[in-house]
Structure formats: C-alpha cells, structure tokens
Amino acid sequence: MDEPGIPALVNGFLGKVLVDDKINGYFLNSDVDGGALGGCVIKQLGALAGCEGVMYDCQSMTEAHAGLKISQQDFDDFVVDFVAALDEHAAKHPNLTDDDKMVAAATVTNTIDKPG
C-alpha cells in the first residue's frame, strides 16, 4: 500500500472525523491512540481490499466498540464522514471507479458493528 492510496484516504477520513463535533468525542480522549487507530483502519481497509501482504491484526470491531454506546445517528454520521473523505480522495485519483467507491463504502458500513 502506497501513501497516495489507502493511507491517504484514511488520513483524510480521520481528519474529517476529528473536526466533526457530532462524533469526535469518541476519538478525542486519552483512551484513544490516534496513531494506532489510523494504522488499524489502514490495515482493515487494505486487508478487505486484498492488498498484498496486508493482514488485519487489530481488535475485532466488537472488541473495539464494546461499551461505547454508539447510537445509530453516531454511526450514520461516521459513514457520512467516510463517504465525504472517499469522494475527495477519488477526485484526486481518477483511476478509482464508482464501483471502487461503492466497495469501500460498503466495507465500512458492513465491517463496523452497528448499534443495535
């Protein structure tokens, strides 16, 4: 995975999340190691995209989100930030197709434990 790819997308995404007052409280606290979080999201997307040599070895989504009391609205806001970051990333990388974007968005919405 090279810097212009998934790492750049994740950095753009986390930048959006950190300034989003609706959900950034989940991330802007002493319990969250931002570097580790970014690394895990990069590994997760890389592994799901089939990037050679990438293996997801971080916590399961159930473990990572245990006890956080994430509401459906919080989840929806998180997805909006991801899709916005993905659109911005795709605008800089014209080789990404709409199908690529749909797969990435579906990956995020299907791999994160939704509130229930």
Side-chain angles (χ1 to χ4, degrees):
M1 286 187 304
D2 55 2
E3 186 58 34
I6 291 174
L9 168 60
V10 171
N11 287 333
F13 166 58
L14 292 178
K16 289 193 172 307
V17 166
L18 293 177
V19 298
D20 185 344
D21 291 337
K22 294 176 280 187
I23 60 171
N24 66 8
Y26 289 108
F27 303 93
L28 294 176
N29 62 69
S30 61
D31 294 336
V32 176
D33 177 342
L37 172 65
C40 285
V41 175
I42 289 168
K43 287 179 191 178
Q44 183 181 34
L45 290 175
L48 292 166
C51 295
E52 186 175 330
V54 177
M55 187 171 122
Y56 182 74
D57 58 0
C58 301
Q59 289 181 313
S60 71
M61 292 298 94
T62 300
E63 293 168 328
H65 297 105
L68 294 179
K69 299 180 180 161
I70 298 170
S71 71
Q72 184 62 51
Q73 186 60 55
D74 294 334
F75 177 79
D76 293 345
D77 291 337
F78 181 87
V79 170
V80 166
D81 288 344
F82 182 78
V83 170
L86 184 57
D87 285 342
E88 288 178 13
H89 184 76
K92 296 174 190 171
H93 301 279
N95 57 325
L96 288 174
T97 66
D98 285 342
D99 285 344
D100 294 331
K101 288 171 40 181
M102 286 177 49
V103 168
T107 296
V108 168
T109 58
N110 291 323
T111 59
I112 297 172
D113 289 336
K114 297 175 187 141

